[in-house]
Amino acid sequence: MECPIQISYGISATPKQGDTQNGDQYLIKKQQDSILIATIDGLGHGQYAFESAKRAVDFIDTYPDGAPLDDLIRLCHDELKNTHGVVLMLAQIEKNHRVTWAGVGNIIGMVYKKKSHEYLRNEIFLTQAGIVGSNLPALKISYTTANPGDLLIFATDGIDQDFLTDEFNIKDLPQKISDQIFKKYRNPNDDALVLVCHWDDIDKGV
């Protein structure tokens, strides 16, 4: 059965200046009734950060659909115990308009809701301090709602948090938004990633 939710997205990412491998990775996974979005930052930078993040992406991608997000993070933690570890945010968009998220470490997530033909920042996704693969905290699952037309934005700590207060035109296409945030707020001394997802109408497609 085709997933009833459709999103379009833009991604802007690059490794630390001078490196060739980026430890900041992402995954967008269509499930039967939902879409799972993972944003992952391998600790440090370079090869070891990339290997940790890639291992997390592969594990989440191949794990059977339907696991609660906190269970999935715990299983990913076990998978990464012999790596440098990662920080991680998982967000799940469900067909009943619920967005579920859980996160460990300093990854930023937020949802902008479309109201009266304007986008307004609605909620920042909070995470808990820790490291997946090394120091896992007690996990908390959080919920909000979203609808077609809304935006979800995720950024690793290679992006300055000042972008949260910027007045970029969030009515633009997702790729343009991610590029604008990345160009203005990227820290060249760290791996960096911005992921912007737009929840499309079902007849629009991805």
Side-chain angles (χ1 to χ4, degrees), residues 57-125:
V57 167
D58 291 345
F59 179 80
I60 295 167
D61 192 27
T62 58
Y63 198 81
D65 297 349
L69 298 190
D70 51 348
D71 286 350
L72 186 52
I73 292 175
R74 291 187 189 98
L75 292 167
C76 190
H77 171 74
D78 292 339
E79 176 71 13
L80 298 180
K81 282 186 176 179
N82 62 343
T83 73
H84 285 211
V86 304
V87 296
L88 165 68
M89 177 176 286
L90 297 178
Q92 190 168 40
I93 307 174
E94 303 176 51
K95 65 179 182 179
N96 63 1
H97 296 190
R98 185 171 72 170
V99 177
T100 306
W101 82 89
V104 177
N106 53 351
I107 290 177
I108 300 170
M110 70 175 76
V111 59
Y112 284 76
K113 291 191 175 182
K114 185 178 182 181
K115 296 180 179 179
S116 301
H117 305 292
E118 294 183 359
Y119 284 93
L120 303 173
R121 188 176 73 195
N122 179 265
E123 188 168 359
I124 296 176
F125 297 167

Side-chain angles (χ1 to χ4, degrees), residues 3-174:
C3 177
I5 301 167
Q6 302 290 337
I7 66 168
S8 54
Y9 66 92
I11 179 73
S12 302
T14 194
K16 176 184 175 181
Q17 196 168 48
D19 283 345
T20 59
Q21 293 181 304
N22 192 353
D24 292 1
Q25 299 288 321
Y26 75 100
L27 172 69
I28 297 176
K29 182 182 182 182
K30 282 192 173 184
Q31 303 182 122
Q32 182 174 343
D33 295 319
S34 63
I35 290 179
L36 179 66
I37 302 168
T39 310
I40 300 161
D41 182 348
L43 262 65
H45 57 89
Q47 177 182 351
Y48 293 119
F50 170 78
E51 289 175 353
S52 299
K54 184 63 166 57
R55 188 162 173 179
V57 167
D58 291 345
F59 179 80
I60 295 167
D61 192 27
T62 58
Y63 198 81
D65 297 349
L69 298 190
D70 51 348
D71 286 350
L72 186 52
I73 292 175
R74 291 187 189 98
L75 292 167
C76 190
H77 171 74
D78 292 339
E79 176 71 13
L80 298 180
K81 282 186 176 179
N82 62 343
T83 73
H84 285 211
V86 304
V87 296
L88 165 68
M89 177 176 286
L90 297 178
Q92 190 168 40
I93 307 174
E94 303 176 51
K95 65 179 182 179
N96 63 1
H97 296 190
R98 185 171 72 170
V99 177
T100 306
W101 82 89
V104 177
N106 53 351
I107 290 177
I108 300 170
M110 70 175 76
V111 59
Y112 284 76
K113 291 191 175 182
K114 185 178 182 181
K115 296 180 179 179
S116 301
H117 305 292
E118 294 183 359
Y119 284 93
L120 303 173
R121 188 176 73 195
N122 179 265
E123 188 168 359
I124 296 176
F125 297 167
L126 300 178
T127 63
Q128 297 158 277
I131 301 170
V132 179
S134 174
N135 180 25
L136 194 69
L139 296 172
K140 179 182 178 181
I141 299 294
S142 300
Y143 305 92
T144 189
T145 58
N147 296 283
D150 292 349
L151 292 174
L152 288 89
I153 302 177
F154 305 91
T156 62
D157 68 345
I159 303 297
D160 193 307
Q161 293 190 18
D162 285 349
F163 88 86
L164 293 170
T165 60
D166 202 346
E167 296 183 357
F168 53 86
N169 184 359
I170 54 178
K171 295 181 181 180
D172 285 334
L173 293 174

Side-chain angles (χ1 to χ4, degrees), residues 174-193:
Q175 188 61 57
K176 184 174 181 180
I177 297 170
S178 67
D179 287 344
Q180 289 174 339
I181 295 172
F182 193 85
K183 181 178 179 180
K184 188 171 181 180
Y185 294 102
R186 178 216 169 184
N187 174 7
N189 295 315
D190 197 1
D191 297 338
L193 178 148

